[in-house]
Amino acid sequence: MKNSYERFIRPLLFSLDAETAHHFTITLLRHGSKFDLALRALKAFQPSPKPKALFGLNFPNPIGLAAGLDKNGVAIPAWAALGFGFIEVGTVTAKAQPGNPRPRIFRLPEQQALINRLGFNNDGADAIAERLRQLRRSGRWPAVPVGINIGKSRATPLEQATDDYLYSFRLLRELADYVTLNVSSPNTPGLRELQDPKRLSELLQAIGREPRAATKPILVKVSPDLSSTELEAVLAACEENAVAGVIATNTTLDHSSIPPALDEEGGLSGAPLREKSTALLREIVGKSSIPVIASGGIFDAKSAMEKFQAGAQLVQLYTGFVYRGPRLLREIIEAEK
Ligand SMILES: Cc1cc2nc3c(=O)[nH]c(=O)nc-3n(C[C@H](O)[C@H](O)[C@H](O)COP(=O)(O)O)c2cc1C
């Protein structure tokens, strides 16, 4: 049976172009984040607590908001009120940037999928750091862990990627409970090459040399399109550099399940990504003891259970949340009991 979001709100949102619907929702949640009454209303969706400790942090439940939904960190209190057990802001880049030309988000309802080629549109590390500082001062900072996901600015050549990440890291680390290095989005040319072991080690070593680096959990978000050999090298680099966790996975460039007439350039997420992303998760858990946050195709309690049973410590939602709404959180947590 459809929940009330699926019956009443989704048809309205899906009558708009995908990015307009996204802006509309974010604007509502951004305003809602400023009013206690609105936050109280959103709490109607909250699932019961299911605490989990990881990376030295306390998560009220294991279901997080995946990166990309709130790139600029404008609605953090609202996500917490809805019941997310942690919130990942970003991807944030050192320089503010507009991203690719529109249209750049596409819905595929039959496939329960999205394709996006946003290209890290965001306000930039300086503006986002200031916004997060203000939120901390306002007393509305949520009680759940907040991660910040950082990536490379498009204008920065790959050879200078490390400095670009360091710029954002230095500005944002004090404000975050953990920092994710995104080296796996398909929409910034060359970004995925940072998964190459030599480049990844250089980046991780540079981050590790920062003062008090060891006090902040560093996570690496990987692509589902890595081969076994590539994955092994990524895991070795992560282990050598004391990476706290891996997020598996980002969107895929494998569009083989999408009818050509519906296909678009960009990263594919949602149901068609599920299997591939779970397979990579299993491989990571089999090869390494690094804790994994699973992301990719979680649409219901069953697909979430699949991730936990495969060894994920935490999960994150994006496309499933767009299709199923905030009730999805409770659905997953109640099934886990
Ligand atoms: C429109 C859109 C924008 C995204 N933006 C980002 C991003 O900025 N950084 C990132 O690390 N992942 C981004 N992602 C990937 C998601 O965080 C998630 O890892 C991926 O979509 C797989 O999960 P899902 O199948 O539940 O959507 C984005 C995904 C979508 C659909």
Tab-separated table of all heavy atoms in Angstrom, residues 22 65-69 71 88-92 104-106 112 114-121 149-150 180-187 221-222 247-252 267-274 277 294-299 316-322, ligand 1:
chain	number	residue	atom	x	y	z
A	22	HIS	N	13.225	19.471	-6.477
A	22	HIS	CA	14.286	19.406	-5.472
A	22	HIS	C	14.419	20.767	-4.771
A	22	HIS	O	14.437	20.840	-3.537
A	22	HIS	CB	15.604	19.007	-6.145
A	22	HIS	CG	16.772	19.006	-5.223
A	22	HIS	ND1	17.019	17.978	-4.344
A	22	HIS	CD2	17.741	19.922	-5.016
A	22	HIS	CE1	18.099	18.259	-3.642
A	22	HIS	NE2	18.566	19.436	-4.040
A	65	LEU	N	21.240	10.479	5.757
A	65	LEU	CA	20.944	11.184	4.508
A	65	LEU	C	22.213	11.178	3.668
A	65	LEU	O	23.270	11.634	4.123
A	65	LEU	CB	20.532	12.629	4.814
A	65	LEU	CG	20.195	13.471	3.590
A	65	LEU	CD1	18.790	13.123	3.083
A	65	LEU	CD2	20.273	14.956	3.901
A	66	ALA	N	22.115	10.661	2.435
A	66	ALA	CA	23.298	10.574	1.570
A	66	ALA	C	23.692	11.953	1.045
A	66	ALA	O	22.862	12.869	0.964
A	66	ALA	CB	23.005	9.633	0.398
A	67	ALA	N	24.946	12.073	0.654
A	67	ALA	CA	25.441	13.338	0.107
A	67	ALA	C	24.689	13.688	-1.168
A	67	ALA	O	24.281	12.804	-1.923
A	67	ALA	CB	26.925	13.230	-0.183
A	68	GLY	N	24.514	14.976	-1.400
A	68	GLY	CA	23.912	15.444	-2.645
A	68	GLY	C	22.517	15.998	-2.462
A	68	GLY	O	22.077	16.840	-3.234
A	69	LEU	N	21.796	15.502	-1.435
A	69	LEU	CA	20.437	16.020	-1.230
A	69	LEU	C	20.493	17.414	-0.622
A	69	LEU	O	19.718	18.285	-0.987
A	69	LEU	CB	19.644	15.070	-0.331
A	69	LEU	CG	18.466	14.390	-1.005
A	69	LEU	CD1	17.966	13.208	-0.205
A	69	LEU	CD2	17.315	15.356	-1.241
A	71	LYS	N	23.366	19.693	-0.535
A	71	LYS	CA	24.768	19.992	-0.882
A	71	LYS	C	25.302	21.179	-0.096
A	71	LYS	O	26.480	21.230	0.247
A	71	LYS	CB	24.878	20.299	-2.376
A	71	LYS	CG	24.719	19.066	-3.268
A	71	LYS	CD	24.829	19.469	-4.731
A	71	LYS	CE	24.517	18.325	-5.675
A	71	LYS	NZ	25.658	17.466	-5.963
A	88	GLU	N	24.764	13.790	5.833
A	88	GLU	CA	25.999	14.115	5.109
A	88	GLU	C	25.741	15.292	4.174
A	88	GLU	O	24.967	15.195	3.228
A	88	GLU	CB	26.520	12.895	4.339
A	88	GLU	CG	27.939	13.107	3.833
A	88	GLU	CD	28.630	11.807	3.419
A	88	GLU	OE1	28.564	10.802	4.176
A	88	GLU	OE2	29.241	11.801	2.332
A	89	VAL	N	26.397	16.412	4.496
A	89	VAL	CA	26.280	17.635	3.694
A	89	VAL	C	27.284	17.546	2.536
A	89	VAL	O	28.318	16.905	2.654
A	89	VAL	CB	26.596	18.853	4.608
A	89	VAL	CG1	26.806	20.124	3.817
A	89	VAL	CG2	25.495	19.027	5.639
A	90	GLY	N	26.986	18.231	1.418
A	90	GLY	CA	27.940	18.261	0.307
A	90	GLY	C	27.437	17.452	-0.873
A	90	GLY	O	26.291	16.972	-0.847
A	91	THR	N	28.213	17.304	-1.868
A	91	THR	CA	29.638	17.576	-1.947
A	91	THR	C	29.936	19.071	-2.003
A	91	THR	O	29.354	19.796	-2.814
A	91	THR	CB	30.252	16.880	-3.182
A	91	THR	OG1	30.165	15.460	-3.005
A	91	THR	CG2	31.699	17.244	-3.406
A	92	VAL	N	30.896	19.474	-1.147
A	92	VAL	CA	31.370	20.843	-1.102
A	92	VAL	C	32.704	20.889	-1.844
A	92	VAL	O	33.542	20.002	-1.659
A	92	VAL	CB	31.580	21.284	0.369
A	92	VAL	CG1	32.066	22.722	0.430
A	92	VAL	CG2	30.314	21.092	1.194
A	104	ARG	N	19.612	18.417	-15.754
A	104	ARG	CA	20.749	17.605	-15.312
A	104	ARG	C	20.360	16.586	-14.225
A	104	ARG	O	21.216	15.908	-13.689
A	104	ARG	CB	21.871	18.529	-14.832
A	104	ARG	CG	21.372	19.563	-13.835
A	104	ARG	CD	22.400	20.646	-13.587
A	104	ARG	NE	21.922	21.546	-12.553
A	104	ARG	CZ	22.629	22.515	-12.000
A	104	ARG	NH1	23.864	22.727	-12.386
A	104	ARG	NH2	22.123	23.274	-11.058
A	105	ILE	N	19.042	16.517	-13.919
A	105	ILE	CA	18.531	15.409	-13.090
A	105	ILE	C	17.333	14.821	-13.834
A	105	ILE	O	16.465	15.584	-14.294
A	105	ILE	CB	18.036	15.852	-11.692
A	105	ILE	CG1	19.056	16.734	-10.976
A	105	ILE	CG2	17.705	14.627	-10.837
A	105	ILE	CD1	18.590	17.199	-9.589
A	106	PHE	N	17.309	13.510	-13.967
A	106	PHE	CA	16.246	12.843	-14.735
A	106	PHE	C	15.645	11.724	-13.889
A	106	PHE	O	16.374	10.926	-13.308
A	106	PHE	CB	16.827	12.276	-16.038
A	106	PHE	CG	17.556	13.333	-16.834
A	106	PHE	CD1	18.904	13.584	-16.610
A	106	PHE	CD2	16.873	14.105	-17.759
A	106	PHE	CE1	19.573	14.596	-17.310
A	106	PHE	CE2	17.536	15.110	-18.461
A	106	PHE	CZ	18.894	15.352	-18.236
A	112	GLN	N	12.513	3.012	-11.055
A	112	GLN	CA	12.761	3.530	-9.701
A	112	GLN	C	14.191	4.044	-9.594
A	112	GLN	O	14.977	3.641	-8.728
A	112	GLN	CB	12.500	2.449	-8.658
A	112	GLN	CG	11.041	2.004	-8.639
A	112	GLN	CD	10.671	1.435	-7.314
A	112	GLN	OE1	11.193	0.392	-6.917
A	112	GLN	NE2	9.796	2.106	-6.603
A	114	LEU	N	17.149	7.407	-10.727
A	114	LEU	CA	17.464	8.773	-11.151
A	114	LEU	C	18.774	8.722	-11.926
A	114	LEU	O	19.621	7.857	-11.663
A	114	LEU	CB	17.678	9.698	-9.939
A	114	LEU	CG	16.495	9.992	-9.009
A	114	LEU	CD1	16.986	10.782	-7.792
A	114	LEU	CD2	15.416	10.798	-9.732
A	115	ILE	N	18.911	9.638	-12.879
A	115	ILE	CA	20.226	9.852	-13.496
A	115	ILE	C	20.544	11.321	-13.255
A	115	ILE	O	19.680	12.186	-13.458
A	115	ILE	CB	20.207	9.552	-15.003
A	115	ILE	CG1	19.914	8.056	-15.241
A	115	ILE	CG2	21.540	9.945	-15.658
A	115	ILE	CD1	19.807	7.661	-16.705
A	116	ASN	N	21.742	11.593	-12.756
A	116	ASN	CA	22.106	13.011	-12.588
A	116	ASN	C	23.486	13.285	-13.138
A	116	ASN	O	24.370	12.434	-13.105
A	116	ASN	CB	21.995	13.425	-11.112
A	116	ASN	CG	23.296	13.251	-10.352
A	116	ASN	OD1	24.174	14.126	-10.386
A	116	ASN	ND2	23.454	12.098	-9.702
A	117	ARG	N	23.606	14.500	-13.675
A	117	ARG	CA	24.923	14.998	-14.085
A	117	ARG	C	25.078	16.438	-13.576
A	117	ARG	O	25.398	17.358	-14.322
A	117	ARG	CB	25.100	14.912	-15.608
A	117	ARG	CG	23.975	15.496	-16.457
A	117	ARG	CD	24.387	15.602	-17.929
A	117	ARG	NE	23.368	16.151	-18.772
A	117	ARG	CZ	22.480	15.447	-19.470
A	117	ARG	NH1	22.482	14.122	-19.416
A	117	ARG	NH2	21.591	16.056	-20.236
A	118	LEU	N	24.794	16.593	-12.270
A	118	LEU	CA	24.810	17.933	-11.675
A	118	LEU	C	26.197	18.566	-11.760
A	118	LEU	O	26.327	19.748	-12.083
A	118	LEU	CB	24.366	17.855	-10.215
A	118	LEU	CG	22.868	17.607	-9.995
A	118	LEU	CD1	22.603	17.174	-8.565
A	118	LEU	CD2	22.066	18.857	-10.308
A	119	GLY	N	27.227	17.781	-11.454
A	119	GLY	CA	28.592	18.317	-11.542
A	119	GLY	C	28.966	19.207	-10.368
A	119	GLY	O	29.602	20.248	-10.547
A	120	PHE	N	28.574	18.796	-9.141
A	120	PHE	CA	28.985	19.504	-7.913
A	120	PHE	C	28.595	20.979	-7.926
A	120	PHE	O	29.414	21.854	-7.647
A	120	PHE	CB	30.503	19.406	-7.696
A	120	PHE	CG	31.031	18.047	-7.344
A	120	PHE	CD1	32.397	17.785	-7.427
A	120	PHE	CD2	30.205	17.019	-6.906
A	120	PHE	CE1	32.921	16.546	-7.092
A	120	PHE	CE2	30.719	15.768	-6.561
A	120	PHE	CZ	32.086	15.530	-6.662
A	121	ASN	N	27.343	21.270	-8.250
A	121	ASN	CA	26.876	22.645	-8.050
A	121	ASN	C	26.817	22.889	-6.544
A	121	ASN	O	26.200	22.117	-5.817
A	121	ASN	CB	25.483	22.819	-8.679
A	121	ASN	CG	24.504	21.761	-8.213
A	121	ASN	OD1	24.849	20.584	-8.159
A	121	ASN	ND2	23.312	22.151	-7.866
A	149	ASN	N	30.998	16.127	3.106
A	149	ASN	CA	31.570	15.417	1.964
A	149	ASN	C	32.252	16.464	1.080
A	149	ASN	O	31.640	17.457	0.701
A	149	ASN	CB	30.392	14.723	1.256
A	149	ASN	CG	30.750	14.038	-0.032
A	149	ASN	OD1	31.379	14.616	-0.904
A	149	ASN	ND2	30.294	12.799	-0.187
A	150	ILE	N	33.550	16.259	0.827
A	150	ILE	CA	34.272	17.245	0.008
A	150	ILE	C	34.770	16.618	-1.296
A	150	ILE	O	35.055	15.420	-1.366
A	150	ILE	CB	35.432	17.924	0.792
A	150	ILE	CG1	36.480	16.924	1.285
A	150	ILE	CG2	34.898	18.714	1.975
A	150	ILE	CD1	37.652	17.573	2.018
A	180	THR	N	34.049	13.134	4.568
A	180	THR	CA	34.117	12.145	3.489
A	180	THR	C	34.889	12.736	2.316
A	180	THR	O	34.594	13.854	1.878
A	180	THR	CB	32.701	11.779	3.000
A	180	THR	OG1	31.959	11.261	4.101
A	180	THR	CG2	32.748	10.736	1.890
A	181	LEU	N	35.853	11.983	1.827
A	181	LEU	CA	36.552	12.390	0.606
A	181	LEU	C	35.832	11.714	-0.542
A	181	LEU	O	35.822	10.477	-0.655
A	181	LEU	CB	38.020	11.954	0.667
A	181	LEU	CG	38.795	12.459	1.890
A	181	LEU	CD1	40.206	11.868	1.900
A	181	LEU	CD2	38.862	13.984	1.907
A	182	ASN	N	35.193	12.528	-1.374
A	182	ASN	CA	34.461	11.986	-2.515
A	182	ASN	C	35.426	11.900	-3.701
A	182	ASN	O	35.816	12.925	-4.257
A	182	ASN	CB	33.263	12.888	-2.822
A	182	ASN	CG	32.452	12.379	-3.996
A	182	ASN	OD1	32.740	11.306	-4.534
A	182	ASN	ND2	31.453	13.135	-4.397
A	183	VAL	N	35.784	10.689	-4.052
A	183	VAL	CA	36.687	10.482	-5.195
A	183	VAL	C	35.964	9.624	-6.247
A	183	VAL	O	36.602	8.941	-7.043
A	183	VAL	CB	38.013	9.801	-4.756
A	183	VAL	CG1	38.882	10.776	-3.989
A	183	VAL	CG2	37.755	8.556	-3.909
A	184	SER	N	34.635	9.674	-6.228
A	184	SER	CA	33.900	8.710	-7.048
A	184	SER	C	32.715	9.258	-7.818
A	184	SER	O	32.012	8.496	-8.464
A	184	SER	CB	33.430	7.563	-6.149
A	184	SER	OG	32.753	8.066	-5.023
A	185	SER	N	32.458	10.565	-7.754
A	185	SER	CA	31.353	11.089	-8.564
A	185	SER	C	31.755	11.059	-10.028
A	185	SER	O	32.875	11.426	-10.373
A	185	SER	CB	31.006	12.519	-8.147
A	185	SER	OG	30.260	12.499	-6.974
A	186	PRO	N	30.821	10.663	-10.908
A	186	PRO	CA	31.202	10.531	-12.315
A	186	PRO	C	31.089	11.828	-13.106
A	186	PRO	O	31.411	11.849	-14.283
A	186	PRO	CB	30.195	9.498	-12.832
A	186	PRO	CG	29.000	9.644	-11.964
A	186	PRO	CD	29.484	10.134	-10.626
A	187	ASN	N	30.615	12.901	-12.465
A	187	ASN	CA	30.282	14.096	-13.247
A	187	ASN	C	31.321	15.213	-13.214
A	187	ASN	O	31.097	16.284	-13.745
A	187	ASN	CB	28.927	14.638	-12.796
A	187	ASN	CG	27.825	13.612	-12.984
A	187	ASN	OD1	27.708	13.009	-14.049
A	187	ASN	ND2	27.043	13.378	-11.945
A	221	LYS	N	34.567	7.751	-0.181
A	221	LYS	CA	33.378	7.256	-0.897
A	221	LYS	C	33.804	6.702	-2.250
A	221	LYS	O	34.447	7.395	-3.035
A	221	LYS	CB	32.363	8.386	-1.078
A	221	LYS	CG	31.051	7.913	-1.690
A	221	LYS	CD	29.954	8.926	-1.472
A	221	LYS	CE	28.645	8.492	-2.101
A	221	LYS	NZ	27.578	9.456	-1.889
A	222	VAL	N	33.439	5.449	-2.501
A	222	VAL	CA	33.960	4.762	-3.685
A	222	VAL	C	32.883	4.533	-4.737
A	222	VAL	O	31.684	4.563	-4.464
A	222	VAL	CB	34.632	3.408	-3.305
A	222	VAL	CG1	35.801	3.634	-2.365
A	222	VAL	CG2	33.631	2.435	-2.703
A	247	ILE	N	32.452	4.557	2.193
A	247	ILE	CA	31.038	4.633	1.786
A	247	ILE	C	30.912	3.937	0.438
A	247	ILE	O	31.569	4.312	-0.538
A	247	ILE	CB	30.534	6.087	1.700
A	247	ILE	CG1	30.757	6.786	3.041
A	247	ILE	CG2	29.049	6.100	1.309
A	247	ILE	CD1	30.180	8.182	3.143
A	248	ALA	N	30.076	2.906	0.397
A	248	ALA	CA	29.914	2.100	-0.819
A	248	ALA	C	28.423	2.055	-1.148
A	248	ALA	O	27.665	1.435	-0.421
A	248	ALA	CB	30.455	0.698	-0.594
A	249	THR	N	27.987	2.721	-2.173
A	249	THR	CA	28.779	3.332	-3.217
A	249	THR	C	28.143	4.638	-3.708
A	249	THR	O	27.012	4.945	-3.360
A	249	THR	CB	28.845	2.403	-4.468
A	249	THR	OG1	27.497	2.326	-5.025
A	249	THR	CG2	29.360	1.059	-4.167
A	250	ASN	N	28.881	5.274	-4.601
A	250	ASN	CA	28.353	6.406	-5.344
A	250	ASN	C	27.472	5.892	-6.499
A	250	ASN	O	27.182	4.700	-6.569
A	250	ASN	CB	29.527	7.246	-5.874
A	250	ASN	CG	29.201	8.729	-5.860
A	250	ASN	OD1	28.142	9.143	-6.329
A	250	ASN	ND2	30.098	9.527	-5.317
A	251	THR	N	27.105	6.749	-7.421
A	251	THR	CA	26.283	6.352	-8.582
A	251	THR	C	27.137	5.586	-9.605
A	251	THR	O	28.366	5.650	-9.563
A	251	THR	CB	25.686	7.600	-9.257
A	251	THR	OG1	26.756	8.479	-9.590
A	251	THR	CG2	24.726	8.334	-8.336
A	252	THR	N	26.451	4.894	-10.520
A	252	THR	CA	27.189	4.078	-11.502
A	252	THR	C	27.093	4.666	-12.913
A	252	THR	O	26.122	5.346	-13.260
A	252	THR	CB	26.660	2.619	-11.523
A	252	THR	OG1	27.384	1.891	-12.505
A	252	THR	CG2	25.172	2.529	-11.835
A	267	GLY	N	25.326	9.879	-13.692
A	267	GLY	CA	25.411	8.781	-12.733
A	267	GLY	C	24.024	8.228	-12.462
A	267	GLY	O	23.083	8.980	-12.201
A	268	LEU	N	23.910	6.917	-12.501
A	268	LEU	CA	22.627	6.242	-12.271
A	268	LEU	C	22.540	5.819	-10.806
A	268	LEU	O	23.490	5.245	-10.255
A	268	LEU	CB	22.552	5.017	-13.194
A	268	LEU	CG	21.373	4.064	-13.028
A	268	LEU	CD1	20.049	4.737	-13.416
A	268	LEU	CD2	21.584	2.803	-13.887
A	269	SER	N	21.369	6.102	-10.194
A	269	SER	CA	21.156	5.718	-8.788
A	269	SER	C	19.795	5.054	-8.663
A	269	SER	O	18.995	5.080	-9.592
A	269	SER	CB	21.202	6.961	-7.906
A	269	SER	OG	20.201	7.879	-8.302
A	270	GLY	N	19.540	4.493	-7.487
A	270	GLY	CA	18.248	3.871	-7.236
A	270	GLY	C	18.275	2.379	-7.476
A	270	GLY	O	19.337	1.747	-7.467
A	271	ALA	N	17.066	1.806	-7.726
A	271	ALA	CA	16.925	0.346	-7.786
A	271	ALA	C	17.932	-0.345	-8.724
A	271	ALA	O	18.490	-1.391	-8.352
A	271	ALA	CB	15.497	-0.011	-8.165
A	272	PRO	N	18.210	0.192	-9.924
A	272	PRO	CA	19.146	-0.522	-10.811
A	272	PRO	C	20.585	-0.570	-10.283
A	272	PRO	O	21.394	-1.337	-10.780
A	272	PRO	CB	19.109	0.297	-12.115
A	272	PRO	CG	17.918	1.171	-12.024
A	272	PRO	CD	17.654	1.391	-10.569
A	273	LEU	N	20.884	0.230	-9.279
A	273	LEU	CA	22.238	0.260	-8.704
A	273	LEU	C	22.383	-0.736	-7.546
A	273	LEU	O	23.497	-1.119	-7.175
A	273	LEU	CB	22.527	1.698	-8.218
A	273	LEU	CG	23.741	1.971	-7.339
A	273	LEU	CD1	25.036	1.650	-8.100
A	273	LEU	CD2	23.774	3.450	-6.905
A	274	ARG	N	21.251	-1.182	-7.010
A	274	ARG	CA	21.270	-1.924	-5.747
A	274	ARG	C	22.223	-3.123	-5.743
A	274	ARG	O	23.129	-3.211	-4.911
A	274	ARG	CB	19.853	-2.390	-5.404
A	274	ARG	CG	19.696	-2.762	-3.960
A	274	ARG	CD	18.514	-3.660	-3.727
A	274	ARG	NE	18.882	-5.047	-3.959
A	274	ARG	CZ	18.247	-5.875	-4.763
A	274	ARG	NH1	17.177	-5.480	-5.414
A	274	ARG	NH2	18.662	-7.113	-4.923
A	277	SER	N	25.963	-2.344	-6.157
A	277	SER	CA	26.493	-1.662	-4.985
A	277	SER	C	26.621	-2.642	-3.804
A	277	SER	O	27.607	-2.610	-3.058
A	277	SER	CB	25.546	-0.495	-4.701
A	277	SER	OG	25.639	-0.069	-3.425
A	294	ALA	N	26.702	1.794	3.688
A	294	ALA	CA	26.191	1.373	2.385
A	294	ALA	C	25.211	2.397	1.827
A	294	ALA	O	24.357	2.913	2.542
A	294	ALA	CB	25.497	0.026	2.509
A	295	SER	N	25.356	2.664	0.543
A	295	SER	CA	24.451	3.575	-0.160
A	295	SER	C	24.292	3.041	-1.574
A	295	SER	O	25.271	2.722	-2.231
A	295	SER	CB	25.080	4.973	-0.140
A	295	SER	OG	24.826	5.678	-1.319
A	296	GLY	N	23.049	2.925	-2.014
A	296	GLY	CA	22.815	2.437	-3.382
A	296	GLY	C	21.597	1.553	-3.455
A	296	GLY	O	21.657	0.378	-3.078
A	297	GLY	N	20.468	2.135	-3.895
A	297	GLY	CA	19.280	1.339	-4.172
A	297	GLY	C	18.479	0.912	-2.972
A	297	GLY	O	17.728	-0.066	-3.047
A	298	ILE	N	18.579	1.627	-1.855
A	298	ILE	CA	17.754	1.263	-0.692
A	298	ILE	C	16.381	1.917	-0.855
A	298	ILE	O	16.252	3.132	-0.841
A	298	ILE	CB	18.438	1.681	0.629
A	298	ILE	CG1	19.783	0.967	0.759
A	298	ILE	CG2	17.525	1.376	1.815
A	298	ILE	CD1	20.630	1.433	1.908
A	299	PHE	N	15.386	1.066	-1.008
A	299	PHE	CA	14.020	1.514	-1.310
A	299	PHE	C	13.004	1.057	-0.282
A	299	PHE	O	11.887	1.546	-0.242
A	299	PHE	CB	13.581	0.954	-2.675
A	299	PHE	CG	13.733	1.954	-3.759
A	299	PHE	CD1	14.978	2.245	-4.272
A	299	PHE	CD2	12.642	2.656	-4.239
A	299	PHE	CE1	15.136	3.197	-5.252
A	299	PHE	CE2	12.785	3.607	-5.223
A	299	PHE	CZ	14.032	3.888	-5.736
A	316	GLN	N	22.793	4.824	3.936
A	316	GLN	CA	22.379	6.175	3.541
A	316	GLN	C	21.337	6.083	2.426
A	316	GLN	O	21.410	5.194	1.573
A	316	GLN	CB	23.572	6.973	3.004
A	316	GLN	CG	24.571	7.374	4.066
A	316	GLN	CD	25.742	8.152	3.494
A	316	GLN	OE1	26.182	7.878	2.378
A	316	GLN	NE2	26.256	9.086	4.250
A	317	LEU	N	20.422	7.059	2.431
A	317	LEU	CA	19.349	7.091	1.426
A	317	LEU	C	19.463	8.321	0.551
A	317	LEU	O	19.756	9.411	1.047
A	317	LEU	CB	17.977	7.165	2.110
A	317	LEU	CG	17.658	6.194	3.238
A	317	LEU	CD1	16.282	6.528	3.802
A	317	LEU	CD2	17.695	4.754	2.741
A	318	TYR	N	19.189	8.156	-0.720
A	318	TYR	CA	18.946	9.298	-1.601
A	318	TYR	C	17.723	8.993	-2.476
A	318	TYR	O	16.611	9.427	-2.199
A	318	TYR	CB	20.174	9.658	-2.453
A	318	TYR	CG	20.055	11.026	-3.112
A	318	TYR	CD1	21.078	11.948	-3.048
A	318	TYR	CD2	18.891	11.399	-3.785
A	318	TYR	CE1	20.950	13.216	-3.632
A	318	TYR	CE2	18.752	12.655	-4.363
A	318	TYR	CZ	19.786	13.550	-4.283
A	318	TYR	OH	19.648	14.791	-4.858
A	319	THR	N	17.919	8.198	-3.531
A	319	THR	CA	16.853	7.989	-4.507
A	319	THR	C	15.612	7.354	-3.859
A	319	THR	O	14.479	7.751	-4.170
A	319	THR	CB	17.385	7.131	-5.673
A	319	THR	OG1	18.590	7.737	-6.143
A	319	THR	CG2	16.386	7.042	-6.812
A	320	GLY	N	15.805	6.413	-2.969
A	320	GLY	CA	14.680	5.766	-2.280
A	320	GLY	C	13.862	6.781	-1.502
A	320	GLY	O	12.632	6.692	-1.436
A	321	PHE	N	14.533	7.776	-0.936
A	321	PHE	CA	13.846	8.818	-0.179
A	321	PHE	C	13.002	9.689	-1.115
A	321	PHE	O	11.896	10.084	-0.782
A	321	PHE	CB	14.879	9.661	0.578
A	321	PHE	CG	14.277	10.676	1.493
A	321	PHE	CD1	13.688	10.303	2.694
A	321	PHE	CD2	14.293	12.022	1.159
A	321	PHE	CE1	13.117	11.249	3.541
A	321	PHE	CE2	13.731	12.980	1.992
A	321	PHE	CZ	13.138	12.592	3.183
A	322	VAL	N	13.537	9.964	-2.305
A	322	VAL	CA	12.802	10.768	-3.297
A	322	VAL	C	11.515	10.032	-3.705
A	322	VAL	O	10.453	10.633	-3.838
A	322	VAL	CB	13.688	11.037	-4.537
A	322	VAL	CG1	12.885	11.650	-5.685
A	322	VAL	CG2	14.877	11.926	-4.171
B	1	LIG	C1	20.751	13.988	-7.775
B	1	LIG	C2	21.887	13.331	-7.044
B	1	LIG	C3	22.950	14.102	-6.590
B	1	LIG	C4	24.024	13.499	-5.918
B	1	LIG	N1	25.056	14.270	-5.460
B	1	LIG	C5	26.069	13.690	-4.777
B	1	LIG	C6	27.133	14.477	-4.278
B	1	LIG	O1	27.163	15.689	-4.409
B	1	LIG	N2	28.150	13.819	-3.632
B	1	LIG	C7	28.145	12.470	-3.432
B	1	LIG	O2	29.081	11.947	-2.824
B	1	LIG	N3	27.135	11.703	-3.885
B	1	LIG	C8	26.104	12.292	-4.543
B	1	LIG	N4	25.080	11.510	-4.996
B	1	LIG	C9	25.114	10.044	-4.756
B	1	LIG	C10	24.293	9.658	-3.538
B	1	LIG	O3	24.815	10.217	-2.363
B	1	LIG	C11	24.246	8.127	-3.371
B	1	LIG	O4	25.532	7.676	-3.005
B	1	LIG	C12	23.818	7.399	-4.646
B	1	LIG	O5	22.772	8.088	-5.285
B	1	LIG	C13	23.375	5.953	-4.378
B	1	LIG	O6	22.322	5.901	-3.462
B	1	LIG	P1	20.757	5.817	-3.906
B	1	LIG	O7	20.630	4.687	-4.865
B	1	LIG	O8	20.016	5.639	-2.603
B	1	LIG	O9	20.431	7.128	-4.537
B	1	LIG	C14	24.009	12.100	-5.680
B	1	LIG	C15	22.925	11.339	-6.134
B	1	LIG	C16	21.862	11.939	-6.799
B	1	LIG	C17	20.718	11.086	-7.270
